[in-house]
């Protein structure tokens, strides 16, 4: 429990100690210095980079990480061995756990954590979501499409009960079991939280966290109206814990454990993060380019945290529409649809060809509202001198284990 307690109290201490952006910068500089001197030289991938500046290190993506997997983790586990361990066809390495991403973009990734890092992860997570633990207890229902050793760590912590519900079992089966468990805290994708709200189930909830998907205001409004509880977002990926929303609902990046660089997205005010975790020693996560699109807040949060606030996670880079040689970001397309008519509460917009778009609305959407949505997208594209064929249809939009992406570029070009 020492790694857990150490990480828990360090996170709370830093939340009090770091009061300004300058404080955060100094803390990160210390972490990066330790990373460059002690951590990175232990990995074969970085062995030749002697006396290199941090900002001169190569930027890495998922494909490069997986191609050099054995050189980027301390036990030297190859990608082939990692997949065998993850699937249960090979024994776990003693002292380590293997996990994997869900493969939203069709490219799954592995990660390796030590037992100590699992405990430290739990400490950081609890300090950011349940800072009054252990005075406050929690009975957590975790509804996700993929279980992890990280979550199993939480399940055995005193005064903290966690039960995993597999989204692949279907919502009907999950919702049938929830009343007997009576959770006071739920962590689930927004689509699941919304379905729970619309189902009208009575649960003794005190906390609601969304995760694994983008928290769309369409869903957030419905969930909060039903439960009268603020939905707080957890921004976590295979690459680690990236952000947690404060009590005001503002998503703050976890700059106490991660350094963030930001690459601008042309033609918009969105950025794509390049992350470096300066606390992990089992697997290198250094200057790793994420596939996410985010809009950074330019104003401080009322909570007073100096950690960078994020206005929204707007989607993924591979969902940027490519039409007539132009790039259109998911948030612009989304806003055109939901602003067309207030009766539109859900939708799917898919680019299916070089100039082909499918707009799918719920079957109960009024016909005039559906036509307004199609016209709004058409007007948006026309204003950009883009010619596209928009096919409109209405059908039942189901909730599956697959991550929800309301705006998705299916055509890869």
């Amino acid at each position: 429990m020492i790694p857990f307690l150490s990480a828990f109290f360090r996170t709370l201490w830093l939340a009090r100690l770091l009061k300004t952006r300058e404080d955060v910068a100094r803390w990160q500089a210390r972490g990066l210095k330790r990373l460059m001197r002690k951590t990175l030289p232990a990995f074969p991938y970085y062995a030749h980079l002697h006396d290199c500046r941090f900002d001169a290190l190569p930027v890495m993506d998922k494909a490069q990480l997986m191609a050099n997997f054995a050189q980027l983790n301390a036990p030297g586990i190859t990608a082939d061995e990692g997949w065998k361990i993850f699937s249960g066809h090979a024994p776990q390495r003693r002292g380590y756990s293997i996990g994997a991403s869900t493969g939203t973009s069709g490219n799954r990734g592995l990660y390796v954590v030590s037992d100590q890092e699992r405990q430290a992860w739990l400490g950081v997570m609890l300090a950011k979501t349940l800072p009054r633990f252990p005075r406050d207890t929690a009975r957590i229902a975790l509804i996700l499409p993929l279980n992890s050793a990280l979550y199993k760590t939480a399940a055995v912590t005193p005064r903290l009960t966690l039960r995993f519900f597999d989204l692949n079992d279907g919502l009907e089966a999950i919702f049938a079991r929830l009343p007997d468990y009576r959770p006071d805290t739920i962590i689930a994708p927004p689509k699941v939280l919304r379905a729970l709200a619309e189902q009208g189930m009575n649960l003794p909830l005190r906390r609601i966290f969304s995760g694994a998907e983008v928290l769309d205001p369409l869903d957030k409004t419905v969930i909060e109206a039903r439960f009268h509880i603020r939905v707080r977002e957890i921004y976590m990926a295979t690459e680690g814990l990236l952000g947690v929303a404060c009590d005001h609902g503002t998503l703050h990046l976890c700059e106490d454990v991660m350094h963030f660089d930001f690459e601008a997205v042309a033609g918009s005010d969105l950025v794509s993060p390049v992350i470096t975790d300066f606390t992990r020693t089992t697997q290198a996560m250094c200057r790793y380019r994420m596939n996410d699109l985010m809009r950074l807040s330019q104003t401080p949060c009322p909570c007073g945290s100096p950690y960078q606030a994020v206005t929204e996670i707007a989607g993924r880079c591979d969902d940027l529409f490519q039409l007539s040689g132009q790039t259109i970001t998911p948030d612009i397309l989304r806003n055109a649809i939901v602003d067309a008519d207030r009766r539109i509460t859900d939708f799917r917009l898919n680019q299916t060809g070089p100039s082909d778009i499918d707009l799918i609305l719920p079957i109960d959407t009024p016909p005039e509202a559906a036509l307004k949505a199609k016209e709004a997208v058409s007007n948006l594209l026309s204003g950009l001198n883009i010619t596209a064929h928009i096919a409109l249809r209405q059908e039942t939009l189901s909730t599956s284990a697959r991550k929800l992406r309301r705006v998705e570029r299916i055509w890869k070009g």
Side-chain angles (χ1 to χ4, degrees), residues 26-92:
R26 282 191 290 269
W27 172 256
Q28 291 197 335
R30 288 175 55 187
L32 293 177
K33 184 178 181 180
R34 184 173 61 251
L35 177 82
M36 296 295 292
R37 287 188 174 182
K38 295 183 178 180
T39 307
L40 288 188
F43 296 105
Y45 184 84
Y46 293 103
H48 66 288
L49 299 173
H50 298 293
D51 301 322
C52 182
R53 299 193 325 273
F54 171 73
D55 58 6
L57 291 174
V59 176
M60 180 175 295
D61 60 19
K62 185 179 291 185
Q64 292 168 308
L65 185 148
M66 293 307 299
N68 299 278
F69 193 72
Q71 299 181 58
L72 288 165
N73 68 82
I77 298 172
T78 65
D80 183 62
E81 181 186 358
W83 286 119
K84 289 179 180 178
I85 294 173
F86 177 73
S87 60
H89 296 135
Q92 288 278 1

Side-chain angles (χ1 to χ4, degrees), residues 10-295:
R10 183 184 65 246
T11 303
L12 295 180
W13 172 68
L14 287 173
R16 293 176 175 270
L17 177 70
L18 306 180
K19 300 183 182 299
T20 66
R21 293 297 301 164
E22 290 74 19
D23 293 339
V24 174
R26 282 191 290 269
W27 172 256
Q28 291 197 335
R30 288 175 55 187
L32 293 177
K33 184 178 181 180
R34 184 173 61 251
L35 177 82
M36 296 295 292
R37 287 188 174 182
K38 295 183 178 180
T39 307
L40 288 188
F43 296 105
Y45 184 84
Y46 293 103
H48 66 288
L49 299 173
H50 298 293
D51 301 322
C52 182
R53 299 193 325 273
F54 171 73
D55 58 6
L57 291 174
V59 176
M60 180 175 295
D61 60 19
K62 185 179 291 185
Q64 292 168 308
L65 185 148
M66 293 307 299
N68 299 278
F69 193 72
Q71 299 181 58
L72 288 165
N73 68 82
I77 298 172
T78 65
D80 183 62
E81 181 186 358
W83 286 119
K84 289 179 180 178
I85 294 173
F86 177 73
S87 60
H89 296 135
Q92 288 278 1
R93 289 280 194 102
R94 183 179 177 87
Y96 298 98
S97 297
I98 302 290
S101 63
T102 55
T104 305
S105 58
N107 184 16
R108 300 190 75 183
L110 288 169
Y111 65 84
V112 184
V113 293
S114 67
D115 292 345
Q116 291 83 1
E117 284 176 330
R118 283 199 296 140
Q119 292 288 345
W121 171 87
L122 176 60
V124 174
M125 175 69 83
L126 275 182
K128 291 181 180 292
T129 56
L130 301 170
R132 287 178 290 276
F133 177 85
R135 286 176 295 171
D136 285 358
T137 60
R139 190 172 180 84
I140 302 171
L142 183 67
I143 308 174
L144 290 174
L146 192 65
N147 204 352
S148 165
L150 295 173
Y151 312 140
K152 295 172 184 176
T153 301
V156 296
T157 304
R159 299 181 64 77
L160 183 70
T161 304
L162 185 147
R163 183 175 297 179
F164 177 79
F165 295 83
D166 192 337
L167 196 50
N168 292 287
D169 293 341
L171 289 186
E172 288 188 2
I174 293 172
F175 289 176
R177 298 197 299 268
L178 276 177
D180 290 337
Y181 179 55
R182 292 185 59 79
D184 58 32
T185 304
I186 282 188
I187 303 174
K191 66 187 176 192
V192 175
L193 297 173
R194 176 167 174 167
L196 188 65
E198 292 175 338
Q199 196 266 354
M201 185 182 300
N202 290 317
L203 297 171
L205 294 179
R206 293 189 291 153
R207 311 173 194 90
I208 298 176
F209 294 95
S210 76
E213 294 173 357
V214 173
L215 178 59
D216 193 306
L218 282 175
D219 302 318
K220 188 173 186 287
T221 300
V222 173
I223 299 163
E224 292 184 343
R226 166 63 181 84
F227 294 111
H228 306 289
I229 299 172
R230 188 187 299 278
V231 179
R232 293 172 59 190
E233 193 169 7
I234 296 175
Y235 179 28
M236 191 170 75
T238 312
E239 295 77 22
L241 178 64
L242 283 79
V244 177
C246 66
D247 289 337
H248 290 263
T250 303
L251 180 65
H252 292 275
L253 297 179
C254 295
E255 294 182 301
D256 49 343
V257 295
M258 277 198 184
H259 175 272
F260 291 80
D261 287 314
F262 301 102
E263 295 182 342
V265 177
S268 75
D269 60 347
L270 299 177
V271 296
S272 185
V274 177
I275 65 169
T276 299
D277 191 324
F278 50 80
T279 64
R280 289 170 66 171
T281 59
T282 302
Q283 180 177 333
M285 193 58 64
C286 182
R287 288 176 61 77
Y288 181 94
R289 180 184 289 113
M290 299 288 291
N291 194 30
D292 297 326
L293 298 167
M294 63 173 61
R295 179 172 288 107

